[in-house]
């Protein structure tokens, strides 16, 4: 929800830009931290959602760790001041260079996604005379019931070690003198809004933890990943239900004394904190279609083109009375450069300001220079 003061400020800024509500971000982080603290759960922020420096500063300050999926993200986490002892490194294709970087930083844990990766980490750690802490990322074959492009926990997905490879994985762990096995890791998908899915995950986590324990391994860490979704249709109902989310894991996980439970939350923490603000360049009225052409495009917000993702779109310059249906499009020379089709809006005119809501996750970080576009800028509630 934007005030008249916000809209007046936007009118004086060059569009397009990302606008961050840092007060909302802080409230969301505090709510999550308080809910996790009830159960002594550990939260690592999934940096791939957003690595804007001010956003990272807020997240570090609340005491969360960092979940990274590239060497670049490991570097950014360290530069942002995250404790290396709270950094985890996942990713199905870690290069030798990235592994060496993470070893040099003495990160908390590698989330290992294949037997071959386990062998490579052991070999590289041996050259440095170090022991690498690892958790085995297991593919639990749990359907998250989300868009097929963002599922990660099914047998058909590229992520994690499949159950039939676990015996070989256990043998490799026993033979790897420079590996310190600390636990198991899971991540079943993204934008999960049906919390019952996590009950199914807990059942599988319990089964796999028992599998390792029966073979003589100590499972200190249960890392259940993240994936908690947000309500894109109602962005003003802004803070996810972290209490219910964590309560499920408290009730359904078989947590042993001394065992730690870790989470890797991204979208749920930052998704509602930002909007993409854009200006109308042209309005094209046709016999079958009306088009609103914005100065923001898929180069600024890729999700609708990539996932057919929904974002609520608002005309900030007009009242709430719906008058027409428009296809809301950008200026990029691609037919997929469209934010929404047949979107009901007030009658729109050149120069109107538009807000594309819930753009704090996978927005700014996915921006590109395609068509030699200008680099997207960011403004904040305390500055704009």
């Amino acid at each position: 929800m934007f005030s008249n003061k916000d809209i007046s400020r936007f009118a004086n800024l060059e569009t397009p830009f990302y606008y961050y509500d840092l007060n909302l971000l802080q409230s969301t982080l505090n709510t999550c931290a308080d809910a996790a603290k009830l159960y002594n759960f550990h939260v690592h922020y999934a940096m791939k959602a957003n690595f804007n420096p001010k956003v990272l500063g807020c997240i570090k300050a609340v005491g969360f760790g960092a979940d990274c999926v590239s060497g670049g993200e490991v570097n950014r986490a360290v530069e942002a001041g995250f404790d290396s002892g709270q950094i985890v490194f996942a990713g199905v294709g870690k290069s030798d260079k990235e592994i060496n970087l993470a070893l040099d930083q003495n990160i908390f844990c590698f989330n290992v996604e294949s037997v071959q990766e386990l062998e490579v980490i052991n070999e590289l750690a041996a050259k440095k005379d170090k022991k690498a802490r690892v958790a085995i990322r297991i593919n639990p074959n749990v359907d998250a019931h989300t868009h097929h492009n963002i599922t990660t926990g099914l047998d058909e997905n590229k992520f994690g070690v499949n159950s039939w490879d676990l015996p070989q994985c256990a043998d490799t762990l026993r033979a790897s003198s420079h590996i310190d096995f600390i636990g198991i890791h899971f991540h079943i998908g993204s934008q999960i809004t049906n919390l019952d899915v996590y009950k199914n995950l807990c059942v599988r986590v319990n089964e796999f933890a028992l599998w390792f324990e029966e073979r003589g391994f100590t499972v200190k860490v249960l890392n259940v990943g993240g994936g908690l979704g947000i309500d894109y249709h109602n962005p003003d109902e802004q803070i996810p239900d972290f209490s219910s989310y964590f309560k499920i894991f408290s009730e359904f996980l078989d947590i042993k004394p001394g065992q730690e439970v870790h989470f890797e939350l991204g979208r749920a923490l930052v998704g509602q904190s930002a909007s993409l603000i854009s200006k109308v360049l042209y309005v094209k009225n046709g016999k079958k279609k009306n088009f609103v052409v914005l100065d923001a495009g898929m180069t600024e917000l890729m999700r609708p083109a990539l996932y057919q993702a929904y974002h609520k779109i608002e005309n900030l310059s007009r009242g709430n009375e719906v008058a027409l249906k428009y296809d809301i499009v950008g200026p990029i020379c691609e037919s997929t450069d469209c934010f929404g089709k047949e979107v009901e809006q007030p009658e729109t005119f050149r120069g109107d300001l538009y807000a594309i809501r819930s753009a704090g996750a996978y927005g700014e970080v996915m921006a590109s220079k395609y068509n030699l576009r200008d680099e997207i800028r960011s403004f904040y509630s305390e500055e704009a």
Side-chain angles (χ1 to χ4, degrees):
M1 183 70 67
F2 299 100
S3 67
N4 290 332
K5 185 178 180 181
D6 289 330
I7 296 169
S8 295
R9 289 170 172 172
F10 296 164
N12 295 319
L13 297 172
E14 182 181 346
T15 55
F17 59 85
Y18 276 96
Y19 175 74
Y20 287 91
D21 183 340
L22 296 182
N23 293 323
L24 172 61
L25 174 62
Q26 194 63 57
S27 295
T28 305
L29 295 174
N30 290 343
T31 301
C32 180
D34 290 344
K37 198 176 297 182
L38 289 175
Y39 307 104
N40 294 316
F41 288 163
H42 300 256
V43 176
H44 305 267
Y45 168 62
M47 285 187 60
K48 67 177 182 176
N50 191 315
F51 40 72
N52 177 286
K54 287 216 171 189
V55 170
L56 291 183
C58 293
I59 293 168
K60 181 189 76 70
V62 85
F64 292 163
D67 162 41
C68 304
V69 293
S70 73
E73 287 188 2
V74 171
N75 264 334
R76 179 66 62 87
V78 172
E79 290 167 358
F82 286 88
D83 182 347
S84 60
Q86 289 183 283
I87 295 175
V88 296
F89 185 13
V92 71
K94 305 177 188 72
S95 70
D96 290 14
K97 179 181 178 181
E98 291 174 315
I99 293 169
N100 280 321
L101 184 155
L103 286 168
D104 289 341
Q105 293 296 339
N106 295 314
I107 66 167
F108 173 67
C109 183
F110 291 87
N111 293 334
V112 175
E113 305 213 19
S114 69
V115 174
Q116 190 172 38
E117 181 191 334
L118 196 58
E119 294 168 343
V120 169
I121 292 176
N122 182 64
E123 177 185 336
L124 294 176
K127 291 179 180 178
K128 294 178 179 291
D129 195 25
K130 290 189 172 187
K131 269 203 168 186
R133 289 179 293 273
V134 305
I136 302 301
R137 177 173 179 174
I138 301 170
N139 186 334
N141 198 31
V142 171
D143 191 348
H145 304 298
T146 60
H147 191 287
H148 66 276
N149 282 353
I150 54 176
T151 59
T152 62
L154 297 173
D155 285 345
E156 65 197 55
N157 299 134
K158 69 179 181 180
F159 300 97
V161 176
N162 290 306
S163 57
W164 53 86
D165 289 324
L166 286 179
Q168 184 185 0
C169 185
D171 291 341
T172 303
L173 284 170
R174 293 189 186 96
S176 300
S177 58
H178 289 269
I179 292 293
D180 180 11
F181 170 80
I182 65 170
I184 52 179
H185 171 248
F186 305 81
H187 182 67
I188 57 174
S190 188
Q191 186 49 23
I192 300 170
T193 54
N194 178 1
L195 294 185
D196 284 342
V197 168
Y198 290 112
K199 297 178 185 178
N200 298 333
L201 173 61
C202 288
V203 171
R204 299 294 281 156
V205 173
N206 294 338
E207 291 173 353
F208 286 116
L210 181 61
W211 188 94
F212 275 95
E213 288 161 0
E214 288 177 339
R215 286 154 181 80
F217 292 94
T218 299
V219 181
K220 180 183 177 182
V221 171
L222 303 175
N223 186 329
V224 296
L228 180 64
I230 61 174
D231 189 346
Y232 283 92
H233 290 267
N234 299 290
D236 293 321
E237 299 175 13
Q238 295 168 327
I239 298 181
D241 186 359
F242 294 112
S243 292
S244 295
Y245 172 70
F246 289 128
K247 185 178 180 182
I248 283 177
F249 291 95
S250 174
E251 292 180 346
F252 289 89
L253 277 182
D254 182 13
I255 305 170
K256 304 289 194 306
Q259 212 165 42
E260 298 177 359
V261 182
H262 291 237
F263 295 80
E264 297 167 346
L265 293 169
R267 184 198 315 260
L269 298 177
V270 299
Q272 299 290 24
S273 68
S275 296
L276 177 60
I277 307 299
S278 183
K279 190 172 289 184
V280 176
L281 296 175
Y282 303 102
V283 179
K284 297 174 66 176
N285 295 312
K287 290 184 178 180
K288 294 184 177 180
K289 285 275 190 181
N290 300 311
F291 293 92
V292 168
V293 184
L294 300 178
D295 60 3
M298 60 189 284
T299 45
E300 285 69 53
L301 181 61
M302 174 65 78
R303 295 187 70 253
L306 188 61
Y307 303 130
Q308 300 78 53
Y310 172 85
H311 288 263
K312 188 174 183 180
I313 302 171
E314 299 175 356
N315 185 327
L316 301 181
S317 301
R318 305 292 159 185
N320 295 323
E321 184 178 345
V322 172
L324 294 168
K325 290 183 178 180
Y326 296 98
D327 281 13
I328 313 295
V329 301
I332 308 304
C333 293
E334 297 286 346
S335 297
T336 54
D337 185 30
C338 178
F339 294 116
K341 294 182 181 294
E342 298 291 309
V343 181
E344 293 184 338
Q345 291 290 316
E347 187 176 4
T348 294
F349 299 88
R350 172 176 164 81
D352 283 359
L353 283 171
Y354 265 72
I356 303 176
R357 304 290 303 278
S358 309
Y362 309 105
E364 184 181 359
V365 291
M366 297 178 79
S368 78
K369 299 282 287 181
Y370 184 48
N371 287 188
L372 278 179
R373 298 276 289 169
D374 289 340
E375 186 172 343
I376 187 71
R377 297 183 302 159
S378 300
F379 293 94
Y380 309 90
S381 53
E382 63 184 24
E383 294 182 357

